[in-house]
Amino acid sequence: MKAYRPINQILSAVLLLALATGCVTYVRTVAVQQPVLPQGQVLPRHAVLVLDQSLADYQYVFKASGNTVIYPCGPALQNYARQVAKKCFQQVDEAPSIEKAVAFASADLILIPRPVKCDMSVPVWAWENVNMTMVVEWTAKDRASQNTLWLKTITATGSAAKNMGRSDLVMNQNVFDDLSLKTYNAIQEAPELK
Amino acid sequence: MLGFELGRESGVEVAVDPFVESGRTETYFDLDAVANGIAILHVRVSNQSTGKTFLVEKANFKLIPKGADTDLSGDGQKIERSKAVGEVLVVVGPGPALVGLAMMSKSTEIERNLIAKELPDQTLSPGQSMEGFIYFTPVEKGKDWSRTATLITSLTETKTHQSTDFSIPLSH
């Protein structure tokens, strides 16, 4: 059995190369509508939301069969972070870095969303679902001391039937719906932020 | 043999369940982690303290083989925590030619599943608990790696920055 494995792997590689008619890179726009969030508590705090360059530039790169698909998630992530923060806190300002956020003397909280990773699985068969998982970490720091008050990792998932037209659109929307709701609930339930 | 190993310090409890049975890793991850030299541990952390919030970070979990230096600052013989779970892609790899694409599809699904079930980094308020899986590679393929290993971790209290250290032998 073991003796066949290298041969199989070589055959497999040759097949994959044959199937890949040249390396093609696609860029798929991540266009999502921000979901309607439930009416919860507006926390009486002044927060500064850090929307830095790493968030703005974040993209997920999926490679398969010689092709590359790029999902530029940055703008959607920025909008999601804005919407959730504004829904949860009485006053929200934005800053491009932690250093700039610290300069907001009247603020008491600094909020830092950070995309950790994203992964997608694409099935072979048309009747199966395309699945995506996105992990975003949120840190809340005390502005004055810069101590970490709260840290939460949000793992969101979304799927769409592979055989439906533009399954990407549906999958991305489902991921961001899940991400927004989970983040909103996590902030609402955090005793450290009250 | 299934079993939880426990560590209790400063009102915090860390329960560890090493997945050393191929059947269980296949059920949860569709992958024979034991045969492929991947150590999978299910970790549950409960904060039963009064008024203390702890920072729980995966980076602070380390798997120490028996006989290795257990000093937290030491780094020589520790088994690395898998940072990107990407090793699994190599492990599963493309298989026989005709099912190559299916195998690739399967390996991406396994990787996505590993990420989705991973222990999250988070602060843990009094009365809260959290759980998830941590992965380490490489361990000896096909062996019960847990019999000779200890899990060490350190949780930081957010207000005082004081660390609470745990050393949990996994042997059972």
Side-chain angles (χ1 to χ4, degrees):
Chain A
M1 179 73 182
K2 277 183 182 171
Y4 287 110
R5 197 170 170 189
I7 298 165
N8 286 335
Q9 287 183 338
I10 291 164
L11 284 172
S12 174
V14 170
L15 178 74
L16 289 173
L17 281 172
L19 288 171
T21 52
C23 296
V24 181
T25 299
Y26 304 94
V27 178
R28 297 271 168 85
T29 308
V30 180
V32 293
Q33 299 288 323
Q34 296 304 322
V36 177
L37 294 169
Q39 199 61 48
Q41 193 185 355
V42 178
L43 304 170
R45 305 193 77 159
H46 178 187
V48 184
L49 179 65
V50 177
L51 299 176
D52 64 13
Q53 207 55 43
S54 67
L55 184 78
D57 294 341
Y58 186 78
Q59 55 185 28
Y60 169 56
V61 180
F62 180 77
K63 291 182 178 178
S65 305
N67 295 328
T68 302
V69 186
I70 298 172
Y71 294 88
C73 303
L77 282 167
Q78 286 179 316
N79 289 337
Y80 134 79
R82 275 189 197 107
Q83 194 216 14
V84 173
K86 285 179 179 167
K87 185 83 178 171
C88 290
F89 295 97
Q90 201 166 49
Q91 186 179 347
V92 178
D93 287 302
E94 290 178 22
S97 65
I98 296 175
E99 292 73 28
K100 294 266 170 64
V102 173
F104 282 80
S106 63
D108 48 355
L109 269 186
I110 297 175
L111 292 172
I112 310 154
R114 184 178 71 87
V116 178
K117 53 191 146 191
C118 186
D119 212 339
M120 188 170 80
S121 61
V122 180
V124 175
W125 313 114
W127 56 86
E128 292 178 318
N129 279 352
V130 184
N131 297 300
M132 183 181 263
T133 295
M134 187 179 277
V135 182
V136 178
E137 180 188 276
W138 280 75
T139 307
K141 287 179 179 282
D142 177 72
R143 189 199 60 83
S145 66
Q146 292 193 49
N147 263 359
T148 298
L149 298 176
W150 179 73
L151 173 75
K152 185 78 179 175
T153 307
I154 312 288
T155 303
T157 55
S159 62
K162 191 185 174 189
N163 61 1
M164 68 167 35
R166 299 309 310 273
S167 58
D168 278 9
L169 285 176
V170 177
M171 181 187 66
N172 289 334
Q173 185 64 57
N174 289 339
V175 170
F176 275 86
D177 285 354
D178 194 35
L179 193 59
S180 296
L181 188 60
K182 281 180 176 167
T183 309
Y184 177 78
N185 287 338
I187 292 174
Q188 292 283 320
E189 289 163 9
E192 298 91 342
L193 300 178
K194 291 189 172 140
Chain B
M1 178 178 167
L2 309 181
F4 286 97
E5 308 302 332
L6 272 177
R8 283 194 192 93
E9 298 286 342
S10 305
V12 184
E13 188 175 89
V14 179
V16 185
D17 182 11
F19 272 40
V20 290
E21 306 82 13
S22 298
R24 274 215 296 170
T25 67
E26 278 166 0
T27 302
Y28 280 76
F29 300 100
D30 201 13
L31 164 78
D32 186 348
V34 181
N36 287 301
I38 303 168
I40 297 180
L41 295 105
H42 181 260
V43 176
R44 182 180 164 84
V45 187
S46 306
N47 182 357
Q48 294 154 1
S49 72
T50 47
K52 287 182 184 172
T53 296
F54 290 90
L55 188 58
V56 182
E57 292 177 291
K58 282 188 297 293
N60 290 335
F61 283 81
K62 293 180 173 71
L63 193 62
I64 310 285
K66 191 179 183 181
D69 181 7
T70 53
D71 181 352
L72 280 168
S73 62
D75 211 24
Q77 297 176 72
K78 291 188 185 82
I79 299 165
E80 286 298 313
R81 186 176 62 81
S82 299
K83 291 182 178 68
V85 232
E87 293 87 349
V88 176
L89 278 178
V90 178
V91 168
V92 178
L98 288 175
V99 291
L101 287 173
M103 291 292 280
M104 183 183 284
S105 170
K106 186 186 172 189
S107 70
T108 58
E109 177 54 24
I110 290 170
E111 188 175 357
R112 198 192 62 80
N113 189 29
L114 285 164
I115 288 171
K117 289 175 177 165
E118 197 171 22
L119 184 80
D121 288 351
Q122 71 171 75
T123 43
L124 202 58
S125 313
Q128 279 189 336
S129 62
M130 60 184 286
E131 60 188 306
F133 291 92
I134 305 184
Y135 321 108
F136 296 89
T137 51
V139 291
E140 205 174 348
K141 290 182 181 179
K143 297 278 172 66
D144 180 356
W145 47 268
S146 71
R147 287 186 184 279
T148 56
T150 297
L151 185 76
I152 60 169
T153 190
S154 178
L155 309 182
T156 309
E157 211 256 300
T158 54
K159 276 186 191 152
T160 61
H161 291 229
Q162 208 163 30
S163 292
T164 301
D165 299 333
F166 293 83
S167 179
I168 307 167
L170 301 180
S171 54
H172 44 255

